[in-house]
Amino acid sequence: MAAGVLQRVRGGLAPAKSGALSAGQLAGWVRGFATTSSRDREDSWFKSLFVRKVDPRKDAHSNLLTKNEESNLYKIQFHNVKPECLDAYNKLCEGVLPSIHADKYYPCELVGTWNTWYGEQDQAVHLWRYRGGYPALTEVMNKLRQNKEFTEYRMERGKMLLSRKNQLLLEFSFWNEPVPRDGPNIYELRSYQLRPGTMIEWGNYWARAIKYRQGNREAVGGFFSQIGDLYMVHHLWAYKDLQSREDTRNAVWQQEGWHEVVYYTVPLIQRMDSRIMIPTKASPLQ
């Protein structure tokens, strides 16, 4: 047997010898290799005792993070409007959306409707709540298909849009439920794309952190996605103006414990963005 035949074993090198290996040399090398392999296996088993084990999940994170006594489902819509059509689009929405909100025939509520001021321009954002979850959503969709006014609204709206997308959301149990408020206010929608598998961890930190952000009634609602972009979190805040936003956000850093929340949640985020939004006339959140 040539020496080169056993040069590379288990990613390592056999003893480099010139010429052929004798039977005694080969037997000795194999015994040494077996001893090393046994030691490696024992060492690997010993180290495995200290590896952090992940507990098996007993339930979906959507059930662990939501208000179990309620079954609210939210839909957020992002409509990118042709710049020259934004005023006409707002007027069209003002003539249709409030009537759906007020009609008890539809088990849904318009939480808020805005135009983006800073962030993605010429964009409309609508937030709906369906009391009763997915069955309520299905009921509303089926009824709206029979609504001639809504069908005409959608056709006219389509002429004004460049693109649109939506997400179905659930609300975090530790956040306020969004309720109508008087204005004038500006609203900030902060959206976080989390790393897959980190939603529970995010919820645990923010369940403690939300107390730092309720002093000025700025916390409006907190949601996480179920359909659409997954592992997406939306936090909705209200401020009197941009300076009030700056002062409020700076003040929270003076509270003990806030910096720890930031330190531990930032690594969970893949991407984040912020929209400053102005409510339209039709919005219950003013």
Side-chain angles (χ1 to χ4, degrees), residues 260-280:
E260 294 182 6
V261 174
V262 175
Y263 178 84
Y264 286 111
T265 55
V266 165
L268 309 180
I269 301 170
Q270 285 186 327
R271 178 179 56 81
M272 59 185 291
D273 60 56
S274 168
R275 292 174 176 85
I276 300 296
M277 308 183 302
I278 304 296
T280 67

Side-chain angles (χ1 to χ4, degrees), residues 92-270:
L92 181 68
C93 291
E94 289 166 10
V96 176
L97 302 189
S99 62
I100 296 173
H101 169 77
D103 193 339
K104 300 302 181 184
Y105 179 67
Y106 303 102
C108 65
E109 303 163 8
L110 181 63
V111 176
T113 175
W114 304 266
N115 289 155
T116 300
W117 185 21
Y118 289 103
E120 195 159 353
Q121 297 291 284
D122 303 309
Q123 185 180 71
V125 180
H126 309 293
L127 182 63
W128 293 88
R129 175 169 49 224
Y130 300 86
R131 296 195 183 275
Y134 292 108
L137 172 67
T138 301
E139 180 182 348
V140 170
M141 294 300 100
N142 288 337
K143 288 179 175 179
L144 286 177
R145 289 192 185 99
Q146 310 304 317
N147 185 323
K148 182 179 179 181
E149 181 185 17
F150 184 77
T151 301
E152 293 174 351
Y153 154 78
R154 289 197 61 179
M155 292 179 62
E156 190 64 26
R157 185 190 68 184
K159 302 173 185 177
M160 304 178 184
L161 297 182
L162 294 171
S163 65
R164 60 193 177 102
K165 74 172 185 175
N166 58 27
Q167 297 170 9
L168 294 181
L169 314 171
L170 297 176
E171 59 187 335
F172 286 110
S173 61
F174 47 84
W175 273 77
N176 319 315
E177 179 176 298
V179 295
R181 63 171 69 194
D182 296 329
N185 295 295
I186 63 171
Y187 290 81
E188 180 177 19
L189 182 66
R190 296 178 70 88
S191 301
Y192 305 88
Q193 179 69 63
L194 301 187
R195 298 183 182 281
T198 62
M199 188 65 74
I200 295 293
E201 193 172 357
W202 178 275
N204 286 338
Y205 284 120
W206 267 96
R208 299 190 294 271
I210 191 63
K211 65 181 180 181
Y212 298 114
R213 298 298 312 274
Q214 292 178 320
N216 295 328
R217 294 185 63 244
E218 69 266 28
V220 178
F223 315 92
F224 59 97
S225 62
Q226 284 291 280
I227 296 178
D229 295 333
L230 298 180
Y231 286 97
M232 179 68 73
V233 170
H234 298 288
H235 290 175
L236 184 61
W237 309 94
Y239 305 99
K240 290 301 179 186
D241 49 41
L242 288 174
Q243 187 59 54
S244 172
R245 171 187 177 274
E246 181 75 3
D247 295 341
T248 300
R249 288 178 58 81
N250 286 341
V252 74
W253 286 96
Q254 308 306 315
Q255 300 188 52
E256 185 176 356
W258 174 252
H259 69 284
E260 294 182 6
V261 174
V262 175
Y263 178 84
Y264 286 111
T265 55
V266 165
L268 309 180
I269 301 170
Q270 285 186 327

